[in-house]
Amino acid sequence: MKILFYDTKSYDRDSFTDALSKFPDIEIEYTKSDLDPRTAALADGFDAVCAFVSSDVGARTLEILHEKGIGLVLMRCAGYNNVDLEVAKKYDICVMCVPGYSPEAVAEHAMALVLACNRRLYKAYNKVRENDFSLSGLMGVTLHGKTAGIIGTGKIGAAMCRICKGFGMRVLAYDVYQNEALKGFVEYVSLEKVLSDSDVISLHCPLTDSTYHMINIDTIRQMKDGVILVNTSRGALVKTDDLVEGIRMLKFAGVGLDVYEEETNNVFEDRSDEILEHSTTARLLSFPNVMITSHQGFFTREALDAIASTTLQNVRDFEEGNASGNEVTG
Ligand code: NAD
């Protein structure tokens, strides 16, 4: 099986090269280009492609991949909202992902954002570097005894519940399905109650039609004043213009975003020499209570190793006709 890997960085090549030793029948070529309708034709002569969170695996891309004889699209990530599954099905292209490669990695990053926003660590770091040892603008709250509201309690949300519990927080949760394993210490309540009662709200559901813009001006108005909102899931769960309005209404003590609506052109790119015109990201960054990271929740050594070995096992399962459970059907 010959696979073209799109949107690769040196760390992708390192983790997959290590994992390949156990899969000698798989041949990989790497390209820095991301997968979209302009680059899909590069897959000519390959059997499969491997794409990532910012790839455009929409209808036109899949049509071209189909013309080039591609029968397998490997997503080396948990989310697959950027894949048109209907069109993949039409062309009989199998789509596979890597669910739950390291839920704790993402949940730990979500808590890192909570802590950084609460104590304004990003500001404190810069202040001390400038010999400003004053504490102005750095006051937070004690998280112990406060209420965490977790929206989406699958693998990552469950890990976040456990972390919040470890901090001595009361943990409220909302999900369309309740996670039995959490019931001893998590109170499942309505979305409205999570919004109104939580001091920290962390989003952990996938991007679907039902979760698109679930955080909007109406849901923001239901939140407590002084809430900390963290999104490590997918940018479009939050309607950015409404978030900006909420920040201007002084609703938030802190907003920590590992993902945001405009991220596609930014993710994993160095754009430090550019002037980002018309950028809502720049608008968000102008607020002192907002911290943004660039989709790095997954980025631990363990998670990358797990992504590589599961992706290659997905290839083997596909070739051998074994249903691994990692096939995505929509
Ligand atoms: P998961 O499938 O295990 O859990 C998702 C949970 O969301 C499920 O329990 C599901 O029932 C729930 N859900 C679905 N629709 C809902 C709704 N309308 N309201 C409330 N809950 C709803 O997924 P996971 O592994 O925990 O990952 C969650 C998301 O995290 C992924 O979809 C992905 O977008 C994101 N993610 C981000 C990073 C990162 O680097 N920042 C890394 C991996 C995953």
Side-chain angles (χ1 to χ4, degrees):
M1 169 82 71
K2 214 173 149 197
I3 309 168
L4 181 60
F5 271 55
Y6 284 91
D7 190 23
T8 54
K9 303 280 189 277
S10 59
Y11 46 79
D12 296 305
R13 281 169 240 143
D14 290 346
S15 57
F16 274 92
T17 303
D18 286 349
L20 263 180
S21 58
K22 292 195 186 118
F23 298 86
D25 46 323
I26 297 176
E27 200 183 318
I28 293 180
E29 267 187 42
Y30 301 98
T31 174
K32 288 182 180 170
S33 306
D34 204 350
L35 176 60
D36 63 26
R38 291 164 307 169
T39 59
L42 295 174
D44 199 16
F46 290 83
D47 307 298
V49 296
C50 183
F52 200 43
V53 291
S54 297
S55 306
D56 170 358
V57 200
R60 182 66 191 130
T61 302
L62 287 162
E63 193 183 343
I64 298 166
L65 292 177
H66 171 67
E67 284 163 16
K68 300 295 172 195
I70 298 297
L72 175 63
V73 171
L74 299 153
M75 300 303 296
R76 55 179 192 281
C77 50
Y80 45 83
N81 51 286
N82 47 342
V83 184
D84 190 327
L85 294 172
E86 297 258 314
V87 175
K89 193 172 168 194
K90 175 174 138 194
Y91 292 127
D92 201 22
I93 295 175
C94 176
V95 179
M96 298 181 85
C97 69
V98 186
Y101 46 82
S102 180
E104 287 77 16
V106 185
E108 285 170 14
H109 190 66
M111 184 45 96
L113 286 172
V114 172
L115 295 171
C117 288
N118 183 32
R119 300 301 188 94
R120 304 267 166 98
L121 294 184
Y122 47 92
K123 206 169 176 177
Y125 174 78
N126 284 319
K127 274 165 73 91
V128 172
R129 284 174 69 94
E130 300 284 335
N131 291 346
D132 174 359
F133 303 102
S134 72
L135 298 181
S136 54
L138 302 182
M139 196 195 295
V141 296
T142 303
L143 291 176
H144 185 95
K146 296 288 186 304
T147 301
I150 310 302
I151 302 180
T153 53
K155 291 172 280 300
I156 298 170
M160 185 61 173
C161 287
R162 286 186 213 102
I163 290 173
C164 292
K165 180 70 183 162
F167 270 72
M169 302 181 81
R170 175 186 178 209
V171 187
L172 301 180
Y174 169 72
D175 195 310
V176 284
Y177 300 105
Q178 300 192 357
N179 185 336
E180 290 298 321
L182 301 175
K183 286 207 171 157
F185 66 96
V186 168
E187 298 165 53
Y188 276 100
V189 295
S190 64
L191 177 60
E192 291 70 28
K193 192 157 173 64
V194 166
L195 295 171
S196 63
D197 287 20
S198 303
D199 302 291
V200 169
I201 297 177
S202 192
L203 307 178
H204 298 288
C205 35
L207 177 59
T208 63
D209 289 346
S210 73
T211 60
Y212 178 75
H213 283 179
M214 73 190 306
I215 301 302
N216 53 55
I217 199 61
D218 294 331
T219 46
I220 289 170
R221 281 188 206 282
Q222 293 174 53
M223 295 176 191
K224 268 187 187 182
D225 288 344
V227 66
I228 293 174
L229 173 71
V230 164
N231 186 10
T232 55
S233 201
R234 282 292 179 267
L237 296 185
V238 178
K239 189 173 180 194
T240 311
D241 287 338
D242 288 10
L243 179 66
V244 168
E245 195 179 334
I247 293 167
R248 292 207 169 113
M249 280 159 42
L250 308 183
K251 178 58 79 176
F252 301 100
V255 175
L257 304 174
D258 189 45
V259 292
Y260 49 95
E261 285 190 292
E262 237 182 26
E263 73 177 39
T264 306
N265 292 331
N266 297 347
V267 162
F268 314 141
E269 301 303 325
D270 178 359
R271 302 184 67 193
S272 48
D273 272 345
E274 293 178 42
I275 291 171
L276 304 181
E277 273 188 85
H278 314 299
S279 162
T280 37
T281 316
R283 194 144 55 110
L284 280 173
L285 284 170
S286 71
F287 298 112
N289 55 345
V290 175
M291 180 175 181
I292 298 184
T293 53
S294 184
H295 209 131
Q296 69 174 81
F298 74 101
F299 198 52
T300 66
R301 192 173 309 286
E302 292 78 2
L304 288 183
D305 290 347
I307 288 171
S309 55
T310 305
T311 301
L312 298 180
Q313 186 59 45
N314 282 347
V315 176
R316 184 165 284 171
D317 288 335
F318 171 79
E319 284 190 303
E320 294 177 355
N322 300 328
S324 68
N326 294 344
E327 303 80 8
V328 185
T329 49

